[in-house]
Amino acid sequence: MTNTHITSYIDGKVGIIQLNRPKVANALNRLMIDEIVKQMEVYDSDDAIRVIMVKGNEKAFAAGADIDEMMEDTPLSLELLDPFAVWDRMLLIKKPMIAAINGFALGGGFELALHCDLIVAGETAKFGFPEVQLGVMPGAGGTQYLTREMGRRKALEMVWLGEPVSASYLLQNGVINRVVAPELVEEESMKLANKLSKQAPISLRLIKEAVDAAGDLSLRDGLKLERKNFYLTFASGDQKEGMQAFAEKRRPSFKGV
Ligand code: CAA
């Protein structure tokens, strides 16, 4: 697939998407989001890929939606175009997604990271929702994701003030997973991705579904879904392999079936 604003390549079992509009701090225009989501879907349906990683460059993961592109929008043009509908397709990705972040992750860039399952950031990364300073507000899920991750008061403070916060602040508040030296972000993300690549893919997939459901379902319904998913793992060869390997005191080799 030929893309204009992203570069994609495979490293082992990890499908990598590199955001590639460096002249505008990887600002996300609509074509770019479309390319990102399509590439995620390609990786998600490729049996050779176990984990998806999204990364930017040293200066920026992504500095938000492309302001030049949005400038002339009207309520009706937005209603007709429905530019955020494509973002919803990220919710259908079944494989683990890791965001590897250096530099700015602002507005839509932060929202893209929040759509990923795990976030690894460099110590100097800056996260924020500056939309309020543009007279708008987050539109690609920022208020919903951030509130779920850090709670109402902290989310309101962050989105109301629009000021960037550090990776360590988000680590303390449970929004991101790991903070490392900027030059180690990619290595740490790959380590994590390679570990996940060795786990049973069906377990990872069903765990992701169950954990995501915890935000939407009642406890009773969530427990029901978890139980069904647990039962479903017993349909896989990987369950047999995992338990057999335990009995034989060796490492399991999971096939994803
Ligand atoms: N849209 C369009 N262009 C952008 C951009 C964006 N979001 N962010 C940066 N750029 C462009 C700049 O205009 C500049 O272009 P020129 O060289 O042609 O002037 C280039 O990228 C480099 O940026 P700066 O010169 O500003 O670099 P800096 O290091 O001084 O600052 C920055 C970097 C802090 C990221 C700053 O560019 C900035 O504040 N950008 C805007 C961030 C923002 O407001 N994001 C939210 C967008 S709205 C949104 O995302 C809505 C949503 O929910 C989906």
Side-chain angles (χ1 to χ4, degrees):
M1 189 161 32
T2 313
N3 287 304
T4 313
H5 299 313
I6 64 167
T7 307
S8 56
Y9 59 96
I10 294 169
D11 184 346
K13 294 183 173 174
V14 185
I16 297 167
I17 298 172
Q18 172 149 34
L19 311 181
N20 198 9
R21 284 188 89 201
K23 286 194 180 132
V24 286
N26 286 335
L28 301 161
N29 65 15
R30 288 161 188 158
L31 174 61
M32 189 170 176
I33 281 293
D34 205 50
E35 290 179 351
I36 293 166
V37 175
K38 282 193 178 130
Q39 191 59 49
M40 285 173 173
E41 290 170 341
V42 167
Y43 287 149
D44 206 33
S45 56
D46 180 344
D47 289 342
I49 302 291
R50 299 258 176 111
V51 178
I52 300 166
M53 190 204 292
V54 185
K55 66 177 191 177
N57 56 44
E58 316 83 70
K59 193 179 170 220
F61 178 70
D66 188 324
I67 297 170
D68 296 337
E69 190 181 53
M70 273 189 302
M71 194 96 76
E72 303 301 330
D73 278 329
T74 67
L76 198 55
S77 72
L78 290 168
E79 168 63 24
L80 293 175
L81 187 64
D82 202 4
F84 299 119
V86 62
W87 289 73
D88 294 341
R89 288 181 12 220
M90 288 187 223
L91 300 173
L92 301 175
I93 302 294
K94 312 281 192 206
K95 289 179 184 163
M97 294 206 288
I98 300 176
I101 299 189
N102 265 318
F104 297 106
L106 303 177
F110 190 10
E111 285 165 317
L112 175 59
L114 290 168
H115 276 77
C116 294
D117 302 306
L118 302 177
I119 302 177
V120 176
E123 285 152 358
T124 51
K126 291 268 171 262
F127 296 82
F129 283 113
E131 285 89 341
V132 70
Q133 286 150 9
L134 298 168
V136 292
M137 60 178 284
T143 60
Q144 303 306 298
Y145 278 108
L146 201 63
T147 306
R148 279 169 167 76
E149 310 282 4
M150 72 190 322
R152 177 177 182 274
R153 277 178 225 287
K154 297 258 178 182
L156 268 180
E157 182 183 352
M158 220 181 133
V159 188
W160 267 348
L161 293 182
E163 290 165 359
V165 301
S166 66
S168 66
Y169 176 77
L170 292 186
L171 183 71
Q172 281 159 27
N173 284 286
V175 182
I176 70 178
N177 297 84
R178 290 183 189 188
V179 180
V180 295
E183 63 278 13
L184 297 180
V185 168
E186 183 142 3
E187 191 181 317
E188 186 67 21
S189 304
M190 276 308 286
K191 259 194 221 161
L192 204 50
N194 286 330
K195 269 192 190 170
L196 289 172
S197 296
K198 294 194 179 77
Q199 310 286 55
I202 291 168
S203 295
L204 297 184
R205 175 185 174 118
L206 296 176
I207 289 167
K208 178 165 164 168
E209 186 188 27
V211 168
D212 285 345
D216 294 332
L217 299 182
S218 66
L219 179 61
R220 183 181 292 269
D221 287 343
L223 290 172
K224 233 190 259 173
L225 178 98
E226 182 191 82
R227 213 158 292 163
K228 295 281 182 209
N229 282 5
F230 175 78
Y231 298 158
L232 192 50
T233 58
F234 284 73
S236 69
D238 283 346
Q239 173 268 330
K240 318 260 168 321
E241 165 64 8
M243 294 193 179
Q244 192 69 35
F246 175 79
E248 293 168 6
K249 302 192 187 305
R250 61 173 172 83
R251 278 179 185 278
S253 169
F254 293 121
K255 304 271 184 301
V257 285

